[in-house]
Coordinates of all heavy atoms in Angstrom, one line a residue:
M520 N -6.6 50.8 -15.6 CA -7.5 50.2 -14.8 C -8.1 48.9 -15.3 O -8.4 47.9 -14.8 CB -8.8 51.2 -14.5 CG -9.7 50.6 -13.6 SD -9.3 51.0 -11.9 CE -10.5 50.2 -10.9
N521 N -8.4 49.1 -16.7 CA -9.1 47.9 -17.4 C -8.2 46.7 -17.4 O -8.5 45.5 -17.4 CB -9.6 48.2 -18.7 CG -10.5 47.4 -19.4 OD1 -11.0 46.3 -18.7 ND2 -10.8 47.5 -20.6
N522 N -6.8 47.1 -17.5 CA -5.8 46.1 -17.6 C -5.7 45.3 -16.3 O -5.5 44.1 -16.3 CB -4.4 46.7 -18.1 CG -3.6 45.7 -18.4 OD1 -3.6 44.5 -18.7 ND2 -2.2 46.2 -18.4
T523 N -5.8 46.0 -15.2 CA -5.7 45.3 -13.9 C -7.0 44.3 -13.6 O -6.8 43.2 -13.0 CB -5.6 46.3 -12.7 OG1 -6.8 47.1 -12.7 CG2 -4.4 47.1 -12.9
I524 N -8.0 44.7 -14.1 CA -9.2 43.8 -14.0 C -9.0 42.5 -14.9 O -9.3 41.4 -14.3 CB -10.5 44.5 -14.4 CG1 -10.8 45.7 -13.4 CG2 -11.7 43.6 -14.5 CD1 -11.9 46.6 -13.9
N525 N -8.5 42.7 -16.0 CA -8.3 41.4 -16.7 C -7.2 40.6 -16.1 O -7.4 39.3 -16.2 CB -7.9 41.9 -18.2 CG -9.0 42.4 -18.9 OD1 -10.1 42.2 -18.7 ND2 -8.7 43.3 -19.9
E526 N -6.2 41.2 -15.5 CA -5.3 40.3 -15.0 C -5.8 39.6 -13.7 O -5.5 38.4 -13.4 CB -4.0 41.2 -14.4 CG -3.2 41.7 -15.7 CD -2.1 42.6 -15.1 OE1 -1.9 42.8 -13.9 OE2 -1.4 43.3 -16.0
K527 N -6.6 40.3 -12.9 CA -7.3 39.6 -11.7 C -8.2 38.5 -12.3 O -8.3 37.5 -11.7 CB -8.2 40.7 -11.0 CG -7.2 41.6 -10.2 CD -8.1 42.6 -9.4 CE -7.3 43.5 -8.6 NZ -8.1 44.4 -7.8
E528 N -9.0 38.7 -13.3 CA -9.8 37.8 -13.8 C -9.0 36.4 -14.4 O -9.4 35.3 -14.2 CB -10.6 38.3 -15.1 CG -11.7 39.2 -14.7 CD -12.4 39.9 -15.8 OE1 -12.2 39.5 -16.9 OE2 -13.3 40.7 -15.5
I529 N -8.0 36.7 -14.9 CA -7.1 35.7 -15.4 C -6.6 34.9 -14.2 O -6.4 33.7 -14.3 CB -5.8 36.2 -16.3 CG1 -6.4 36.8 -17.6 CG2 -4.9 35.2 -16.5 CD1 -5.4 37.5 -18.5
R530 N -6.1 35.5 -13.1 CA -5.6 34.8 -12.0 C -6.7 34.0 -11.4 O -6.4 32.9 -10.9 CB -5.0 35.8 -11.0 CG -3.6 36.3 -11.3 CD -3.1 37.0 -10.1 NE -2.4 38.2 -10.7 CZ -2.6 39.5 -10.3 NH1 -3.6 39.7 -9.2 NH2 -2.1 40.5 -10.8
V531 N -7.9 34.6 -11.3 CA -9.0 33.7 -10.7 C -9.4 32.6 -11.5 O -9.5 31.5 -11.1 CB -10.2 34.8 -10.5 CG1 -11.5 33.9 -10.2 CG2 -9.9 35.7 -9.4
A532 N -9.3 32.8 -12.8 CA -9.5 31.7 -13.7 C -8.5 30.6 -13.7 O -8.9 29.4 -13.8 CB -9.7 32.3 -15.2
N533 N -7.3 31.0 -13.6 CA -6.1 30.0 -13.4 C -6.2 29.2 -12.1 O -6.0 28.1 -12.0 CB -4.9 30.7 -13.4 CG -4.5 31.1 -14.9 OD1 -5.0 30.6 -15.7 ND2 -3.5 32.1 -15.0
K534 N -6.7 29.9 -11.0 CA -6.9 29.2 -9.7 C -7.9 28.2 -9.8 O -7.9 27.0 -9.4 CB -7.2 30.2 -8.6 CG -6.2 31.0 -8.0 CD -6.6 31.7 -6.9 CE -5.4 32.4 -6.1 NZ -5.9 33.2 -5.0
N535 N -9.1 28.6 -10.6 CA -10.1 27.6 -10.7 C -9.9 26.4 -11.6 O -10.1 25.3 -11.1 CB -11.4 28.3 -11.4 CG -12.0 29.2 -10.4 OD1 -11.9 29.2 -9.2 ND2 -12.8 30.2 -10.9
T536 N -9.0 26.6 -12.6 CA -8.7 25.4 -13.4 C -7.5 24.6 -12.6 O -7.4 23.5 -12.8 CB -8.0 25.9 -14.7 OG1 -7.0 26.7 -14.5 CG2 -9.2 26.5 -15.5
D537 N -6.7 25.3 -11.8 CA -5.7 24.6 -11.0 C -6.3 23.7 -10.0 O -5.8 22.6 -9.7 CB -4.6 25.5 -10.5 CG -3.8 26.1 -11.5 OD1 -3.6 25.6 -12.7 OD2 -3.2 27.1 -11.2
A538 N -7.4 24.3 -9.3 CA -8.0 23.5 -8.2 C -8.8 22.3 -8.7 O -8.6 21.4 -8.0 CB -9.1 24.4 -7.6
R539 N -9.1 22.3 -10.0 CA -9.9 21.1 -10.5 C -8.8 20.4 -11.3 O -8.4 20.7 -12.2 CB -11.0 21.6 -11.5 CG -11.9 20.4 -11.9 CD -12.8 20.7 -13.0 NE -11.9 20.2 -14.1 CZ -11.9 20.9 -15.2 NH1 -12.6 21.9 -15.6 NH2 -11.1 20.6 -16.2
K540 N -8.6 19.1 -10.8 CA -7.6 18.2 -11.4 C -8.3 17.2 -12.3 O -9.3 16.8 -11.9 CB -6.6 17.7 -10.4 CG -5.9 18.6 -9.5 CD -4.8 18.0 -8.9 CE -4.2 18.9 -7.9 NZ -3.1 19.7 -8.5
D541 N -7.7 16.8 -13.4 CA -8.2 15.7 -14.2 C -7.5 14.5 -13.9 O -6.4 14.4 -14.2 CB -8.0 16.1 -15.6 CG -8.9 17.2 -16.1 OD1 -10.0 17.4 -15.6 OD2 -8.5 18.0 -17.0
Y542 N -8.2 13.6 -13.2 CA -7.7 12.3 -12.7 C -7.7 11.3 -13.9 O -8.8 11.4 -14.7 CB -8.3 11.9 -11.6 CG -8.0 12.7 -10.4 CD1 -8.9 13.5 -9.8 CD2 -6.7 12.7 -9.7 CE1 -8.7 14.4 -8.7 CE2 -6.4 13.4 -8.6 CZ -7.5 14.4 -8.1 OH -7.1 15.1 -7.1
A543 N -7.0 10.2 -13.9 CA -7.2 9.2 -14.9 C -8.3 8.5 -14.7 O -8.9 8.0 -15.6 CB -5.8 8.3 -14.8
F544 N -8.7 8.2 -13.5 CA -10.0 7.4 -13.3 C -11.0 8.4 -12.7 O -10.8 9.2 -11.8 CB -9.7 6.3 -12.1 CG -8.9 5.1 -12.6 CD1 -8.4 4.3 -11.6 CD2 -8.6 5.0 -13.8 CE1 -7.6 3.2 -12.0 CE2 -7.9 4.0 -14.3 CZ -7.3 3.0 -13.4
G545 N -12.2 8.0 -13.1 CA -13.4 8.7 -12.6 C -14.2 7.8 -11.4 O -13.7 6.8 -11.1
K546 N -15.3 8.4 -11.1 CA -16.0 7.6 -10.1 C -16.5 6.2 -10.4 O -16.4 5.3 -9.8 CB -17.3 8.5 -9.6 CG -18.0 7.9 -8.4 CD -19.2 8.9 -8.2 CE -20.1 8.3 -6.9 NZ -21.2 9.2 -6.8
T547 N -16.8 6.2 -11.8 CA -17.3 4.9 -12.3 C -16.3 3.9 -12.3 O -16.4 2.8 -12.1 CB -17.7 5.1 -13.7 OG1 -18.8 6.2 -13.7 CG2 -18.4 3.9 -14.2
N548 N -15.0 4.3 -12.6 CA -13.9 3.4 -12.7 C -13.5 2.8 -11.3 O -13.4 1.7 -11.2 CB -12.6 4.1 -13.2 CG -12.7 4.5 -14.6 OD1 -13.1 5.6 -14.8 ND2 -12.4 3.7 -15.5
F549 N -13.6 3.6 -10.4 CA -13.4 3.1 -8.9 C -14.5 2.1 -8.5 O -14.2 1.2 -7.8 CB -13.3 4.3 -7.8 CG -12.1 5.0 -8.1 CD1 -12.0 6.3 -8.5 CD2 -10.8 4.3 -7.7 CE1 -10.8 6.9 -8.5 CE2 -9.6 4.9 -7.8 CZ -9.5 6.3 -8.2
I550 N -15.7 2.5 -8.9 CA -16.9 1.5 -8.5 C -16.7 0.2 -9.3 O -16.9 -0.9 -8.6 CB -18.2 2.2 -8.9 CG1 -18.6 3.4 -7.9 CG2 -19.3 1.2 -8.8 CD1 -19.7 4.2 -8.4
L551 N -16.3 0.2 -10.5 CA -16.1 -1.1 -11.2 C -14.9 -1.8 -10.7 O -14.9 -3.1 -10.6 CB -15.9 -0.7 -12.8 CG -17.1 -0.2 -13.5 CD1 -16.7 0.2 -14.9 CD2 -18.2 -1.3 -13.5
L552 N -13.8 -1.0 -10.2 CA -12.6 -1.8 -9.6 C -13.1 -2.3 -8.3 O -12.7 -3.5 -8.0 CB -11.5 -0.8 -9.4 CG -10.6 -0.6 -10.6 CD1 -9.7 0.7 -10.1 CD2 -9.8 -1.7 -10.8
A553 N -13.9 -1.8 -7.6 CA -14.4 -2.2 -6.2 C -15.2 -3.6 -6.5 O -15.1 -4.6 -5.8 CB -15.1 -1.3 -5.5
V554 N -16.1 -3.5 -7.4 CA -16.9 -4.7 -7.7 C -16.1 -5.7 -8.3 O -16.3 -6.9 -7.8 CB -18.0 -4.3 -8.7 CG1 -18.7 -5.6 -9.3 CG2 -19.0 -3.4 -8.1
G555 N -15.1 -5.5 -9.0 CA -14.2 -6.6 -9.5 C -13.4 -7.2 -8.4 O -13.2 -8.5 -8.3
M556 N -13.0 -6.4 -7.4 CA -12.1 -6.8 -6.4 C -13.0 -7.7 -5.5 O -12.6 -8.7 -4.8 CB -11.5 -5.7 -5.6 CG -10.7 -6.2 -4.5 SD -9.3 -7.2 -4.8 CE -8.2 -6.0 -5.4
A557 N -14.2 -7.3 -5.3 CA -15.2 -8.2 -4.5 C -15.4 -9.6 -5.1 O -15.5 -10.5 -4.3 CB -16.5 -7.4 -4.4
V558 N -15.5 -9.6 -6.4 CA -15.8 -10.8 -7.1 C -14.6 -11.7 -7.0 O -14.6 -12.8 -6.7 CB -16.1 -10.6 -8.7 CG1 -16.0 -11.9 -9.4 CG2 -17.3 -9.9 -8.8
V559 N -13.4 -11.1 -7.1 CA -12.1 -11.9 -6.9 C -12.0 -12.4 -5.5 O -11.7 -13.7 -5.2 CB -10.9 -11.0 -7.2 CG1 -9.6 -11.8 -6.7 CG2 -10.8 -10.7 -8.7
I560 N -12.4 -11.6 -4.5 CA -12.3 -12.1 -3.0 C -13.4 -13.3 -2.9 O -13.1 -14.3 -2.2 CB -12.6 -11.0 -2.1 CG1 -11.3 -10.0 -2.2 CG2 -13.0 -11.4 -0.6 CD1 -11.7 -8.7 -1.4
I561 N -14.6 -13.1 -3.5 CA -15.6 -14.2 -3.5 C -15.1 -15.4 -4.0 O -15.2 -16.6 -3.4 CB -16.9 -13.7 -4.0 CG1 -17.6 -12.6 -3.2 CG2 -17.8 -14.9 -4.2 CD1 -18.7 -12.0 -3.9
G562 N -14.4 -15.3 -5.2 CA -13.8 -16.5 -5.9 C -12.7 -17.1 -4.8 O -12.8 -18.5 -4.7
F563 N -11.9 -16.4 -4.2 CA -10.9 -17.1 -3.3 C -11.6 -17.7 -2.1 O -11.2 -18.7 -1.7 CB -9.7 -16.0 -2.9 CG -8.7 -15.9 -3.9 CD1 -8.7 -14.8 -4.8 CD2 -7.8 -16.8 -4.0 CE1 -7.7 -14.6 -5.6 CE2 -6.7 -16.6 -4.8 CZ -6.7 -15.5 -5.7
L564 N -12.7 -17.1 -1.6 CA -13.4 -17.6 -0.6 C -14.0 -18.9 -0.9 O -14.1 -19.9 -0.2 CB -14.5 -16.7 0.1 CG -14.0 -15.5 0.8 CD1 -15.1 -14.5 1.2 CD2 -13.2 -15.8 2.1
L565 N -14.5 -19.0 -2.3 CA -15.1 -20.3 -2.6 C -13.9 -21.4 -2.8 O -14.2 -22.6 -2.6 CB -15.7 -20.1 -4.1 CG -17.0 -19.4 -4.0 CD1 -17.4 -19.1 -5.6 CD2 -18.1 -20.1 -3.4
M566 N -12.7 -20.9 -3.0 CA -11.6 -22.1 -3.1 C -11.2 -22.4 -1.7 O -10.6 -23.5 -1.6 CB -10.3 -21.3 -3.7 CG -10.4 -21.5 -5.3 SD -8.8 -21.0 -6.0 CE -9.2 -19.6 -6.7
S567 N -11.4 -21.7 -0.7 CA -10.9 -22.2 0.6 C -11.7 -23.3 1.3 O -12.8 -23.6 0.8 CB -11.1 -20.9 1.5 OG -12.5 -20.7 1.9
G568 N -11.1 -23.9 2.2 CA -11.7 -25.0 2.7 C -10.6 -26.0 3.4 O -9.4 -25.7 3.5
G569 N -11.1 -27.0 4.0 CA -10.2 -28.0 4.6 C -9.3 -28.6 3.6 O -9.6 -28.8 2.4
S570 N -8.2 -29.1 4.2 CA -7.2 -29.9 3.2 C -7.0 -31.3 3.7 O -7.5 -31.6 4.8 CB -5.9 -29.2 3.3 OG -5.5 -29.1 4.6
S571 N -6.5 -32.1 2.9 CA -6.1 -33.6 3.2 C -4.7 -33.5 4.0 O -4.0 -32.6 3.8 CB -6.0 -34.3 2.0 OG -7.3 -34.6 1.4
S572 N -4.6 -34.5 4.9 CA -3.5 -34.7 5.7 C -3.0 -36.1 5.5 O -3.6 -37.0 4.8 CB -3.6 -34.3 7.2 OG -4.5 -35.2 7.8
A573 N -1.8 -36.4 6.1 CA -1.5 -37.9 6.0 C -2.2 -38.8 6.8 O -2.4 -39.9 6.5 CB 0.0 -37.9 6.7
E574 N -2.9 -38.3 7.8 CA -3.8 -39.1 8.6 C -5.3 -39.3 8.1 O -5.9 -40.4 8.2 CB -4.0 -38.5 10.1 CG -2.7 -38.6 10.9 CD -1.7 -37.4 10.6 OE1 -2.3 -36.3 10.2 OE2 -0.6 -37.4 10.7
A575 N -5.7 -38.3 7.3 CA -7.1 -38.3 6.9 C -7.1 -37.7 5.4 O -6.6 -36.6 5.2 CB -8.1 -37.5 7.8
Y576 N -8.0 -38.4 4.6 CA -8.2 -37.9 3.4 C -9.4 -37.1 3.4 O -10.5 -37.6 3.8 CB -8.2 -39.1 2.4 CG -8.7 -38.8 0.8 CD1 -7.8 -38.0 0.1 CD2 -10.0 -39.0 0.5 CE1 -8.2 -37.6 -1.2 CE2 -10.2 -38.8 -0.8 CZ -9.5 -38.1 -1.6 OH -9.9 -37.7 -2.9
N577 N -9.4 -36.1 2.7 CA -10.6 -35.2 2.5 C -10.9 -35.0 1.1 O -10.4 -34.3 0.3 CB -10.3 -33.8 3.1 CG -11.5 -32.8 3.2 OD1 -12.7 -33.3 2.7 ND2 -11.5 -31.6 3.6
P578 N -12.0 -35.7 0.7 CA -12.5 -35.8 -0.9 C -13.0 -34.4 -1.3 O -13.2 -34.1 -2.4 CB -13.6 -36.8 -0.9 CG -14.1 -37.0 0.6 CD -12.9 -36.6 1.4
D579 N -13.3 -33.5 -0.3 CA -13.8 -32.1 -0.6 C -12.8 -31.3 -1.5 O -13.1 -30.3 -2.0 CB -14.2 -31.4 0.7 CG -15.1 -30.2 0.4 OD1 -15.9 -30.2 -0.5 OD2 -14.7 -29.2 1.1
I580 N -11.5 -31.6 -1.3 CA -10.5 -30.9 -2.0 C -10.6 -30.9 -3.6 O -10.2 -30.0 -4.3 CB -9.1 -31.3 -1.7 CG1 -8.8 -32.7 -2.0 CG2 -8.8 -31.0 -0.1 CD1 -7.3 -33.1 -1.9
F581 N -11.4 -32.0 -4.0 CA -11.7 -32.2 -5.5 C -13.1 -31.8 -5.9 O -13.6 -32.2 -6.9 CB -11.2 -33.5 -5.9 CG -9.8 -33.9 -5.7 CD1 -9.4 -34.9 -4.8 CD2 -8.9 -33.2 -6.4 CE1 -8.1 -35.0 -4.6 CE2 -7.5 -33.5 -6.3 CZ -7.1 -34.4 -5.3
S582 N -13.7 -31.0 -5.1 CA -15.1 -30.7 -5.3 C -15.3 -29.7 -6.5 O -14.2 -29.0 -6.8 CB -15.8 -30.0 -4.1 OG -15.3 -28.8 -3.9
V583 N -16.4 -29.8 -7.3 CA -16.6 -28.9 -8.3 C -16.5 -27.4 -7.9 O -15.9 -26.6 -8.8 CB -18.0 -29.2 -8.9 CG1 -18.4 -28.2 -10.0 CG2 -18.0 -30.6 -9.5
R584 N -16.9 -27.0 -6.8 CA -16.9 -25.7 -6.3 C -15.4 -25.1 -6.3 O -15.2 -24.1 -6.7 CB -17.5 -25.6 -4.9 CG -17.3 -24.1 -4.3 CD -17.9 -24.2 -3.0 NE -17.4 -25.1 -1.9 CZ -16.4 -24.7 -1.2 NH1 -15.9 -23.5 -1.0 NH2 -15.9 -25.8 -0.3
R585 N -14.5 -26.0 -5.7 CA -13.1 -25.6 -5.5 C -12.3 -25.8 -6.9 O -11.4 -25.0 -6.9 CB -12.5 -26.4 -4.4 CG -13.2 -26.1 -3.1 CD -12.5 -26.9 -2.1 NE -11.3 -26.4 -1.6 CZ -10.7 -26.9 -0.5 NH1 -11.2 -28.1 0.1 NH2 -9.5 -26.4 0.0
I586 N -12.6 -26.7 -7.7 CA -11.7 -26.8 -9.0 C -12.2 -26.2 -10.1 O -11.5 -25.7 -10.9 CB -11.8 -28.4 -9.2 CG1 -11.2 -29.2 -8.0 CG2 -11.2 -28.7 -10.5 CD1 -9.7 -28.9 -7.9
K587 N -13.6 -26.0 -10.2 CA -14.1 -25.3 -11.6 C -14.7 -24.0 -11.3 O -14.5 -22.9 -11.9 CB -15.0 -26.2 -12.2 CG -14.4 -27.5 -12.7 CD -15.4 -28.4 -13.4 CE -14.8 -29.6 -13.8 NZ -15.6 -30.6 -14.5
V588 N -15.5 -23.9 -10.3 CA -16.4 -22.6 -10.2 C -15.6 -21.5 -9.5 O -15.6 -20.4 -10.0 CB -17.6 -23.0 -9.1 CG1 -18.4 -21.5 -8.9 CG2 -18.6 -24.0 -9.7
A589 N -14.8 -21.7 -8.5 CA -14.0 -20.6 -7.9 C -13.0 -20.1 -8.9 O -12.8 -18.8 -8.9 CB -13.3 -21.2 -6.7
P590 N -12.2 -20.8 -9.7 CA -11.4 -20.3 -10.6 C -12.0 -19.4 -11.6 O -11.5 -18.3 -12.0 CB -10.6 -21.4 -11.3 CG -10.7 -22.4 -10.2 CD -12.0 -22.3 -9.6
V591 N -13.3 -19.9 -12.1 CA -13.8 -19.0 -13.2 C -14.5 -17.8 -12.5 O -14.4 -16.6 -13.1 CB -15.1 -19.9 -13.6 CG1 -16.0 -19.0 -14.5 CG2 -14.6 -21.1 -14.5
V592 N -14.9 -17.9 -11.3 CA -15.3 -16.6 -10.6 C -14.1 -15.7 -10.3 O -14.3 -14.4 -10.7 CB -15.9 -16.9 -9.2 CG1 -16.2 -15.7 -8.4 CG2 -17.3 -17.7 -9.4
C593 N -13.0 -16.1 -10.1 CA -11.7 -15.3 -9.9 C -11.4 -14.7 -11.3 O -11.1 -13.4 -11.3 CB -10.5 -16.1 -9.4 SG -10.8 -16.4 -7.6
F594 N -11.5 -15.5 -12.3 CA -11.0 -15.1 -13.7 C -12.0 -14.0 -14.2 O -11.5 -12.9 -14.5 CB -11.1 -16.2 -14.5 CG -10.7 -15.9 -16.1 CD1 -9.4 -15.5 -16.3 CD2 -11.6 -15.7 -17.0 CE1 -8.9 -15.1 -17.6 CE2 -11.2 -15.4 -18.3 CZ -9.9 -15.1 -18.6
L595 N -13.3 -14.0 -14.0 CA -14.2 -13.1 -14.2 C -14.1 -11.7 -13.4 O -14.2 -10.7 -13.9 CB -15.6 -13.6 -14.1 CG -16.2 -14.7 -15.0 CD1 -17.5 -15.2 -14.7 CD2 -16.1 -14.2 -16.5
G596 N -13.7 -12.0 -12.1 CA -13.4 -10.7 -11.4 C -12.1 -10.0 -11.9 O -12.1 -8.7 -12.0
F597 N -11.1 -10.8 -12.3 CA -9.8 -10.1 -12.9 C -10.2 -9.4 -14.2 O -9.7 -8.3 -14.6 CB -8.7 -11.2 -13.0 CG -8.2 -11.5 -11.7 CD1 -8.0 -12.7 -11.3 CD2 -7.5 -10.5 -11.0 CE1 -7.4 -13.1 -10.1 CE2 -6.9 -10.8 -9.7 CZ -6.8 -12.0 -9.4
I598 N -10.9 -10.1 -15.0 CA -11.4 -9.4 -16.4 C -12.2 -8.2 -16.1 O -12.0 -7.2 -16.8 CB -12.2 -10.6 -17.2 CG1 -11.3 -11.7 -17.6 CG2 -12.8 -9.9 -18.3 CD1 -10.2 -11.3 -18.5
S599 N -13.2 -8.2 -15.0 CA -13.9 -7.0 -14.7 C -13.0 -5.8 -14.3 O -13.2 -4.8 -14.6 CB -15.0 -7.3 -13.9 OG -14.5 -7.7 -12.6
M600 N -11.9 -6.2 -13.6 CA -10.9 -5.2 -13.1 C -10.1 -4.6 -14.3 O -10.0 -3.5 -14.4 CB -10.1 -5.7 -12.1 CG -10.7 -6.0 -10.9 SD -9.7 -6.9 -9.6 CE -8.5 -5.6 -9.2
V601 N -9.9 -5.4 -15.3 CA -9.2 -4.9 -16.3 C -10.0 -4.1 -17.1 O -9.8 -2.9 -17.6 CB -8.7 -6.0 -17.3 CG1 -8.2 -5.5 -18.6 CG2 -7.5 -6.7 -16.6
Y602 N -11.4 -4.3 -17.3 CA -12.3 -3.5 -18.0 C -12.5 -2.2 -17.3 O -12.6 -1.2 -17.9 CB -13.7 -4.2 -18.0 CG -14.8 -3.3 -18.6 CD1 -14.9 -3.0 -20.0 CD2 -15.7 -2.7 -17.8 CE1 -15.9 -2.3 -20.4 CE2 -16.7 -2.0 -18.4 CZ -16.8 -1.7 -19.7 OH -17.7 -0.8 -20.2
A603 N -12.5 -2.2 -15.9 CA -12.5 -1.0 -15.1 C -11.4 -0.1 -15.3 O -11.5 1.1 -15.3 CB -12.7 -1.3 -13.6
I604 N -10.2 -0.7 -15.6 CA -9.1 0.2 -15.9 C -9.1 0.8 -17.2 O -8.8 1.9 -17.4 CB -7.8 -0.6 -15.7 CG1 -7.5 -0.9 -14.2 CG2 -6.4 0.0 -16.2 CD1 -6.6 -2.0 -13.9
V605 N -9.5 0.1 -18.2 CA -9.6 0.4 -19.6 C -10.8 1.5 -19.8 O -10.8 2.3 -20.7 CB -9.7 -0.7 -20.6 CG1 -9.8 -0.3 -22.0 CG2 -8.5 -1.6 -20.4
Y606 N -11.9 1.3 -19.1 CA -13.2 2.0 -19.3 C -12.8 3.6 -19.2 O -12.2 4.2 -18.3 CB -14.2 1.7 -18.2 CG -15.4 2.4 -18.3 CD1 -16.4 2.1 -19.2 CD2 -15.8 3.5 -17.5 CE1 -17.6 2.8 -19.4 CE2 -17.0 4.1 -17.6 CZ -17.9 3.7 -18.5 OH -19.1 4.5 -18.6
K607 N -13.4 4.3 -20.3 CA -13.3 5.6 -20.4 C -14.6 6.2 -20.4 O -15.4 6.0 -21.4 CB -12.4 6.0 -21.5 CG -12.3 7.6 -21.6 CD -11.3 7.9 -22.9 CE -11.2 9.3 -23.1 NZ -10.3 10.1 -22.1
P608 N -15.0 7.0 -19.4 CA -16.4 7.6 -19.3 C -16.4 8.6 -20.5 O -15.6 9.1 -20.9 CB -16.5 8.2 -18.1 CG -15.2 8.3 -17.4 CD -14.3 7.4 -18.2
K609 N -17.9 8.8 -20.9 CA -18.0 9.7 -21.9 C -18.0 11.2 -21.3 O -18.2 11.4 -20.1 CB -19.5 9.7 -22.3 CG -19.8 8.3 -23.1 CD -21.3 8.2 -23.4 CE -21.6 6.9 -23.9 NZ -23.0 6.6 -24.0
D610 N -17.3 12.1 -22.1 CA -17.2 13.5 -21.7 C -18.5 14.3 -21.9 O -19.1 14.2 -22.9 CB -16.0 14.2 -22.5 CG -14.6 13.7 -22.0 OD1 -14.5 13.1 -20.9 OD2 -13.8 13.7 -22.9
N611 N -18.9 15.0 -20.9 CA -20.1 15.8 -20.9 C -19.9 17.2 -21.3 O -20.7 18.0 -21.1 CB -21.0 15.6 -19.6 CG -21.5 14.3 -19.4 OD1 -21.7 13.6 -20.5 ND2 -21.7 13.9 -18.1
K612 N -18.7 17.5 -21.7 CA -18.3 18.9 -22.0 C -18.9 19.3 -23.3 O -18.8 18.9 -24.3 CB -16.7 19.0 -21.9 CG -16.3 18.8 -20.5 CD -14.7 18.9 -20.5 CE -14.2 18.5 -19.1 NZ -12.8 18.6 -19.0

């Protein structure tokens, strides 16, 4: 009788450990990835704008926002996404 109880306890314990999966990313990683992606999207939006054509020249294509600020913002977004992938949260076990 004692042997069957131990087998049942083992099965229940195995079910509990099987149900809980250890994922490579935690909640913090996904939040950091989302923030990094938002920063990259903001950088691309800063780069957008009108273009020059054969009929009309648009000097805005060489603005500081489109040439310097937007690429730096995109680069920072990509760096933060790499950090989000590499980040390993502390184990509370």
